Amino acid sequence: MATEKLINLAKTIRSKNAGTDKITFDIIFREKENYELVKKSGVLTPETICKLYGISQERIVDFVEFDPAYAIKFTIYRQRPSGSPGESDVFGCQQYAPLLDLEIPLE
Amino acid sequence: MTKKPLRFLCPNGHLGFAPIKTGSFYRGVETKPDFILADSGSDDIGPGPLGSDTSTSPLEWQKHDLEHMLLAARKLGVPMIIGSAGDTGTNSRVDLYVNIIKELAEKHDLPKFKIGYFYSEVSKDYLAQKMKKGQVIKGLDGRPDLTPEELDKTDRIVAVAGVHPYIKLLDMGADVIIGGRSSDCVIFAAPAIRAGFPEDLAYYLGKVLECASFCAEPYGGKETVIGTITEKEVLVTAMHPEQRCTVASVAGHAMYERSNPYYEYVLGGMLDMSNCRYEQYDEKTCRITGPKFIPSDEWRVKLEGSGKVGERYIGIAGIRDPYTIQNIDKVIEWARAQARERFGDTGYELHYHVFGRNGVMGDLEPVKEIRSHELCIVVEGIAPTKAMAEEVAMIGTRQMFYARLPEVKGTAGGAAFVVDEVLPASPAYIWTMNHTVALDDPMELFPTFLTEAGK
């Protein structure tokens, strides 16, 4: 089946702190078509996120399909609060990269 | 009779963190807004600035932004409001900003005006007393409720204010307000509520304006936007010639930096954005209707606390030998063992950030195999004293040079150093509190003051 990488379908793919204990991920689409395509593809679900990042379900706080913004959003708990010793992403803003290459089936 | 709409100019989403772009700011000022406002604080910057009671932003950038905003506000004769002064909103940061405003008034020979300010620091004693009386300091975001031990590890605490001190200071006649730690949206919501606009729209106005041009597209920070509130709607307009506030950019912004895009909690209630409608109003303006503010049945305030873990030094090592790269964990284990031999197992921390493998993402990194031809390893040594932290970082870094790998060809040194030393870094802190406590009164932790500037 033909696929397309998420990076080529989405307008914005980003991660950022949501407070001191969580990192939130936003995948925002320009067109409703691409949003619906990805939403229905089943590639982005709490289960697939857990697999991609190697985390357990308990670390996912929220998973929201946000129709007004054509966006899919999920939030995870950090292992330790932002900026703790041993942490290397104070803003949580470079954790989205693995999402870019997700292959989305086109049908 | 319908109320005259009010217009709020916001030039910056974190005042001081990077200087405001003045082109779009003055474009906005020319339209004669009713208020000039910016939030200056964030917990994004990590626990260090709060714990050490410092700013993360250079003084010159803070002065730059305050100067442009103050001169424009005084010229227009409209209130200027700053929330969470100086990155953290601690008392010393509020004092710093009040003094900058006074200096600027003198420098520019401004006619007399009133500065209102409030504090938001919370003493450990106050919380200890509450706990003794049986009050629960509830943990947020999966944290357990506060224990006396955790409180003990805390150096500095701020409470996150709602609209109340801002409304009070406006009532007291303040022309400029410098706020302690506050929810970002309340600095905008407060004047709108005071003017009689619905809370539903007032809090949304704050929500959409708090990060300035982050709600516009194309992406570009530190540009001015103007929010307008009427009795029926909020309008948000980009001031930069290239930027627009669109349905996509504004709706998308609703989810920024929050766990859930529908709800925003503040002292006194929750803004529900589930039924927001977004429409393109004109080329550069998005119109929003339908937010709902739901007042809470108790006053629960959010507390942020930071505690010092230790002094810190940083070492940097480069690795190019392919065999060493493949065996980097053994190299690190060797260096750790040397630190253990010197200092034992506890009483210090030694962390390795292996850039080129998982330095950015740590355990979240799905790429498990090393694909780089070179690695940069940042070594973090943390200990009770500077001298010990320096030594911990030094052992952790230099012993990579001497790591004993059986098959390594190069035996003259196993790591490349940019500098043959370790570098002093800011002390290590940790967020000890992300909690809430019940208040009898929403002003309980936020004493307000009035002073004068100019002549």
Side-chain angles (χ1 to χ4, degrees):
Chain A
M1 191 195 290
T3 62
E4 183 63 88
K5 284 186 192 305
L6 189 59
I7 185 178
N8 296 326
L9 296 171
K11 178 180 75 157
T12 300
I13 302 177
R14 67 188 177 196
S15 62
K16 187 79 197 289
N17 287 340
T20 57
D21 297 318
K22 296 187 288 195
I23 299 177
T24 193
F25 296 75
D26 301 336
I27 301 136
I28 307 174
F29 300 87
R30 196 179 299 281
E31 305 85 5
K32 189 177 186 205
E33 294 69 35
N34 284 349
Y35 169 60
E36 294 292 343
L37 177 77
V38 174
K39 207 165 107 169
K40 285 182 187 135
S41 73
V43 173
L44 274 178
T45 63
E47 293 74 28
T48 56
I49 297 302
C50 286
K51 212 166 148 196
L52 180 63
Y53 283 94
I55 57 176
S56 62
Q57 286 269 2
E58 297 80 67
R59 273 186 72 184
I60 298 204
V61 193
D62 272 302
F63 185 96
V64 182
E65 289 166 339
F66 185 40
D67 292 345
Y70 302 153
I72 299 170
K73 177 178 181 65
F74 62 93
T75 304
I76 65 171
Y77 286 121
R78 279 177 169 272
Q79 286 289 60
R80 281 168 296 186
S82 68
S84 299
E87 272 273 339
S88 47
D89 190 356
V90 173
F91 291 81
C93 61
Q94 279 294 300
Q95 304 299 313
Y96 61 86
L99 296 168
L100 301 172
D101 290 335
L102 284 179
E103 297 281 352
I104 309 295
L106 288 175
E107 290 163 39
Chain B
M1 204 179 99
T2 50
K3 258 182 213 317
K4 177 182 162 288
L6 286 179
R7 300 173 64 255
F8 295 69
L9 181 148
C10 179
N12 198 334
H14 178 171
L15 184 146
F17 199 68
I20 59 171
K21 303 284 190 186
T22 52
S24 63
F25 175 70
Y26 285 107
R27 192 178 293 264
V29 170
E30 278 167 21
T31 71
K32 298 191 166 55
D34 298 294
F35 297 91
I36 295 181
L37 320 84
D39 171 55
S40 173
S42 178
D43 57 15
D44 262 344
I45 52 179
L50 175 61
S52 58
D53 202 10
T54 56
S55 290
T56 196
S57 301
L59 185 61
E60 284 310 312
W61 296 0
Q62 296 174 329
K63 284 184 177 172
H64 169 273
D65 286 13
L66 292 172
E67 186 163 22
H68 284 288
M69 290 177 73
L70 178 69
L71 294 182
R74 294 321 306 140
K75 198 171 166 195
L76 292 174
V78 301
M80 161 181 169
I81 305 181
I82 305 293
S84 300
D87 303 310
T88 63
T90 59
N91 298 359
S92 80
R93 301 302 94 183
V94 171
D95 292 342
L96 172 74
Y97 274 31
V98 169
N99 286 331
I100 293 173
I101 297 290
K102 285 182 175 174
E103 281 169 26
L104 289 170
E106 196 162 315
K107 175 179 164 189
H108 294 282
D109 223 7
L110 296 179
K112 193 170 274 189
F113 62 94
K114 288 179 181 157
I115 307 174
Y117 60 101
F118 72 90
Y119 291 140
S120 60
E121 274 189 41
V122 182
S123 80
K124 284 163 72 168
D125 272 354
Y126 169 89
L127 291 179
Q129 290 304 323
K130 289 232 176 200
M131 287 165 86
K132 267 188 197 149
K133 284 184 199 151
Q135 268 213 37
V136 179
I137 317 284
K138 285 189 193 163
L140 285 168
D141 301 331
R143 286 190 182 225
D145 297 338
L146 191 69
T147 60
E149 293 73 36
E150 281 300 303
L151 180 61
D152 207 43
K153 287 183 199 161
T154 304
D155 287 314
R156 193 161 286 97
I157 308 160
V158 284
V160 183
V163 293
H164 318 88
Y166 290 98
I167 291 176
K168 182 172 175 196
L169 288 165
L170 287 167
D171 286 345
M172 288 160 74
D175 300 298
V176 172
I177 297 179
I178 301 297
R181 186 73 176 120
S182 319
S183 293
D184 300 354
C185 70
V186 306
I187 66 169
F188 306 88
I193 290 168
R194 182 170 176 271
F197 288 94
E199 287 184 323
D200 303 327
L201 293 169
Y203 281 102
Y204 185 87
L205 172 83
K207 175 71 211 82
V208 74
L209 289 183
E210 70 188 17
C211 283
S213 53
F214 272 21
C215 70
E217 64 180 334
Y219 173 80
K222 308 299 171 186
E223 300 290 355
T224 290
V225 296
I226 289 189
T228 305
I229 190 166
T230 75
E231 285 176 285
K232 302 179 306 213
E233 69 209 346
V234 170
L235 303 167
V236 57
T237 309
M239 287 296 118
H240 187 277
E242 302 296 320
Q243 284 190 316
R244 305 166 64 220
C245 289
T246 65
V247 170
S249 73
V250 174
H253 182 67
M255 67 175 86
Y256 187 62
E257 289 181 332
R258 65 208 48 260
S259 180
N260 184 298
Y262 297 116
Y263 313 117
E264 168 90 2
Y265 292 87
V266 298
L267 175 55
M270 182 263 280
L271 178 67
D272 183 345
M273 293 175 274
S274 321
N275 294 312
C276 279
R277 286 182 302 280
Y278 303 86
E279 298 157 69
Q280 199 65 41
Y281 181 81
D282 63 27
E283 172 64 17
K284 296 171 84 70
T285 304
C286 179
R287 173 177 190 261
I288 307 96
T289 51
K292 183 86 193 145
F293 184 74
I294 300 163
S296 52
D297 46 18
E298 62 170 350
W299 301 111
R300 280 205 89 81
V301 71
K302 184 181 170 213
L303 302 168
E304 297 173 346
S306 171
K308 190 169 177 178
V309 179
E311 302 293 342
R312 174 160 56 182
Y313 272 74
I314 298 280
I316 305 167
I319 310 277
R320 182 62 179 83
D321 178 274
Y323 176 78
T324 308
I325 289 174
Q326 286 312 312
N327 289 280
I328 191 62
D329 286 326
K330 286 182 189 160
V331 172
I332 290 172
E333 191 35 54
W334 165 267
R336 280 191 190 283
Q338 308 312 301
R340 272 199 298 276
E341 207 167 278
R342 171 79 176 90
F343 292 114
D345 290 323
T346 57
Y348 66 96
E349 290 186 38
L350 179 57
H351 298 284
Y352 287 88
H353 306 266
V354 184
F355 292 95
R357 182 177 68 176
N358 64 351
V360 172
M361 296 188 60
D363 291 344
L364 290 178
E365 176 61 66
V367 177
K368 298 298 178 196
E369 93 193 83
I370 299 174
R371 294 176 185 171
S372 319
H373 67 281
E374 62 181 15
L375 297 178
C376 175
I377 301 173
V378 173
V379 183
E380 212 183 340
I382 296 162
T385 65
K386 283 187 181 176
M388 184 175 164
E390 182 175 16
E391 212 189 319
V392 168
M394 184 62 100
I395 291 181
T397 310
R398 191 166 290 168
Q399 286 296 332
M400 287 199 288
F401 192 85
Y402 294 115
R404 295 175 186 179
L405 290 181
E407 302 290 330
V408 75
K409 301 291 179 190
T411 54
F417 297 135
V418 176
V419 288
D420 182 27
E421 68 217 33
V422 293
L423 312 171
S426 54
Y429 285 85
I430 192 163
W431 289 113
T432 54
M433 289 174 64
N434 177 22
H435 288 73
T436 64
V437 65
L439 303 178
D440 298 324
D441 180 290
M443 290 294 292
E444 190 173 331
L445 294 173
F446 309 106
T448 52
F449 307 90
L450 207 58
T451 179
E452 284 188 337
K455 58 184 172 189

